Amino acid sequence: MPINEDLVARKERWARKMSGKEPRQVRSSDRLPPGQRLVHDWPVLDLGVRPEVPLDKWQLKIHGRVENPLTLNWDQFRALPQFRDASDFHCVTTWSRYDLEFEGVAFFTIAELVKPKPEAKFVFFKSYDGYSTNNPLEVCMDDDVLIAQSANGKPLAAEHGGPARVIIPKKYAWKGAKFIREIVFLDRDILGFWEVRGYSNEADPWLEQRHATYDSRKLP
């Protein structure tokens, strides 16, 4: 199998960030995607349900097309190498905020633990509030993707998806599930909560991929 040079470069950037040898790099000098407006607060959008998950009851189940499925409790999750990174946050409802500092467990760390099988090509995220969303594995295997448990130096509040949520900065924020409880590695793409309701499956804010075209939708 040929070497995936792009993946190698992403892992190298992540390793340098973990070691403190590389500061965060913004995507471009023009940081505001088309159709977005800059805000300085952090607006709250959810399904209207904010599950209360005591930390002693919280679990993260990781399974599917992996060699080592596992379930982490909160203490085990916090004992994993912690990764801190600043990133911009883009909501499909047309607002963006710059330089949110998140800390948690890098997706690369998760992947190293469970070891995805060769047929694993997609990741399906499930949440404690019934939400779900999907991403290609390649999207998740990036130097700025993590399961965050704090934001700007404080524990992640429930209104923003605490105790832990997924952060995927290069996508609209709905692709990063709040209240994360399960990560499933799959050999096929299954659409999540908003994707089956007409949102784009690609969700690139720089291409304004807010809504799906018929051909891009992959129903379960």
Side-chain angles (χ1 to χ4, degrees):
M1 181 179 296
I3 295 176
N4 185 330
E5 298 290 351
D6 183 52
L7 177 59
V8 170
R10 295 178 188 187
K11 293 195 76 171
E12 288 177 341
R13 288 197 303 270
W14 167 67
R16 290 194 295 269
K17 287 180 180 181
M18 285 287 285
S19 66
K21 294 179 179 178
E22 178 168 316
R24 171 189 174 247
Q25 295 181 355
V26 298
R27 182 163 178 170
S28 69
S29 58
D30 183 7
R31 296 167 63 182
L32 193 65
Q36 298 290 106
R37 71 185 191 282
L38 183 63
V39 302
H40 299 285
D41 58 349
W42 193 0
V44 175
L45 292 94
D46 53 37
L47 300 183
V49 177
R50 293 180 191 167
E52 296 184 7
V53 187
L55 296 183
D56 62 350
K57 302 294 184 183
W58 183 89
Q59 289 187 327
L60 177 60
K61 182 178 181 181
I62 311 167
H63 62 109
R65 302 288 181 153
V66 298
E67 299 288 348
N68 301 318
L70 58 81
T71 299
L72 299 169
N73 63 30
W74 185 252
D75 289 340
Q76 291 167 331
F77 175 76
R78 294 288 282 117
L80 293 173
Q82 295 293 296
F83 173 57
R84 182 181 299 169
D85 197 27
S87 58
D88 298 342
F89 193 94
H90 306 299
C91 182
V92 70
T93 59
T94 73
W95 61 266
S96 295
R97 179 173 171 177
Y98 294 161
D99 296 320
L100 277 167
E101 186 174 279
F102 295 104
E103 184 172 0
V105 177
F107 195 88
F108 277 131
T109 298
I110 297 293
E112 288 176 354
L113 284 172
V114 299
K115 300 188 184 309
K117 294 180 179 179
E119 64 267 26
K121 303 298 182 185
F122 299 92
V123 183
F124 196 70
F125 298 99
K126 298 181 182 181
S127 303
Y128 277 98
D129 64 347
Y131 184 75
S132 61
T133 191
N134 56 302
N135 287 276
L137 177 57
E138 183 179 14
V139 167
C140 298
M141 299 288 280
D142 207 346
D143 62 280
D144 54 4
V145 177
L146 73 158
I147 314 300
Q149 48 79 18
S150 78
N152 291 336
K154 297 179 180 180
L156 193 63
E159 64 183 7
H160 295 304
R165 68 166 296 161
V166 180
I167 298 296
I168 305 179
K170 294 182 179 70
K171 299 295 181 180
Y172 283 123
W174 91 77
K175 285 292 190 178
K178 293 182 172 183
F179 317 112
I180 187 66
R181 69 173 176 86
E182 193 169 344
I183 301 173
V184 190
F185 289 76
L186 299 171
D187 61 354
R188 66 194 187 283
D189 198 11
I190 296 178
L191 298 185
F193 182 91
W194 285 121
E195 290 81 8
V196 300
R197 290 166 172 81
Y199 280 45
S200 168
N201 200 29
E202 291 75 25
D204 187 333
W206 296 91
L207 299 177
E208 287 199 88
Q209 292 174 328
R210 303 177 194 272
H211 303 104
T213 62
Y214 181 82
D215 289 342
S216 73
R217 302 186 65 187
K218 306 177 181 68
L219 297 175

